[in-house]
Amino acid sequence: MELYDAIHRRRDVRAQFTGDPVPADTLHRILDAAHAAPSVGFSQPWDFVLVRDADVRRRFHRHVQTERATFAATLDGAAADRFAPIKIDGVLESTLSVVVTYDPQRGGPAVLGRHAIADAGLYSVCLAIQNLWLAATAEGLGVGWVSFYREPFLAELLGVPEGIRPVAWLCVGPVTHLEAVPDLERHGWRRRRPLAEAVHHDRWSAGDRPTEQPTRARRQGGQAR
């Protein structure tokens, strides 16, 4: 698959996993692609926890559903109706999950290039995730990034050492197909922003910003979780 094809065909997969295993050689290739990502100061601050255990995945899935309900409770009216049918994870449908972590101590106390931007190491981990995602797409696999969780819960669930941050729970596996249109766009949650609205020349130029649908917590002066 050509690079640009993989970029535009990539989808955040939820419901299309077949439940078939990922072949060992394919898994090695996509992890190798992730590990080849650039990193600030060549610190390579990522690790990959491969989660196949069904009980661990069920426990995580229950936690995810609790957080889904927490978010749903902040929505009213049309936003609640749009969110109701949206599937947010494929934790049980895929037989493999890859949890990507960030170790801010990797590379020693003086990480070249990080002294002025503390999050540069975290950005490096995100580059590894994107490499994994594009490689998986090129291999005909689907990837779904699950974001409805609390980091302390996931760290305890997987025994992640203190100081190391779990950044992403990725469901990975064979799929029946990849949707032509992203799920959130298909469900009317959000439209794709035109490229022209995102490009600025020489300095930031203010443009029209769409009005956001307020959540109940924001309308009441609180902070939506």
Side-chain angles (χ1 to χ4, degrees):
M1 187 183 297
E2 294 292 334
L3 174 62
Y4 287 104
D5 290 338
I7 289 172
H8 290 286
R9 287 182 62 185
R10 179 215 60 79
R11 290 290 175 264
D12 205 349
V13 176
R14 305 293 186 225
Q16 292 77 38
F17 290 109
T18 66
D20 293 333
V22 178
D25 57 340
T26 304
L27 178 59
H28 177 79
R29 285 194 296 271
I30 66 174
L31 291 176
D32 194 43
H35 194 53
S39 60
V40 63
F42 202 45
S43 56
Q44 305 160 82
W46 48 71
D47 285 278
F48 308 100
V49 183
L50 308 183
V51 183
R52 295 186 177 90
D53 185 272
D55 181 62
V56 172
R57 290 187 291 112
R58 281 193 295 267
R59 290 169 62 191
F60 182 67
H61 181 259
R62 287 195 295 269
H63 173 71
V64 167
Q65 294 309 305
T66 298
E67 290 301 324
R68 186 189 199 282
T70 298
F71 176 71
T74 69
L75 304 176
D76 274 339
D81 292 340
R82 287 196 302 270
F83 180 66
I86 296 176
K87 184 174 174 59
I88 62 166
D89 75 273
V91 174
L92 301 183
E93 290 80 0
S94 61
T95 57
L96 170 68
S97 290
V98 179
V99 177
V100 187
T101 64
Y102 168 50
D103 182 356
Q105 303 304 316
R106 188 78 48 77
V111 176
L112 191 154
R114 202 182 66 185
H115 76 285
I117 303 176
D119 287 336
L122 184 60
Y123 303 157
S124 300
V125 173
C126 292
L127 292 173
I129 292 168
Q130 180 73 335
N131 271 18
L132 184 153
W133 210 325
L134 294 179
T137 302
E139 294 280 359
L141 301 177
V143 176
W145 187 329
V146 184
S147 57
F148 281 72
Y149 68 85
R150 303 291 172 167
E151 289 185 17
F153 174 89
L154 182 52
E156 182 178 358
L157 179 66
L158 300 184
V160 176
E162 185 176 355
I164 295 179
R165 181 178 180 183
V167 176
W169 179 296
L170 305 174
C171 304
V172 182
V175 292
T176 57
H177 65 285
L178 294 175
E179 294 286 354
V181 179
D183 281 359
L184 296 187
E185 190 171 1
R186 288 192 301 110
H187 286 286
W189 183 261
R190 183 83 55 170
R191 67 173 178 83
R192 184 177 294 278
R193 185 183 179 205
L195 173 61
E197 292 184 5
V199 177
H200 307 263
H201 298 278
D202 297 323
R203 59 183 291 123
W204 184 275
S205 56
D208 293 333
R209 293 185 177 181
T211 301
E212 298 289 345
Q213 175 67 34
T215 64
R216 182 184 304 136
R218 291 196 183 99
R219 283 194 297 275
Q220 295 174 347
Q223 176 62 46
R225 293 198 299 165

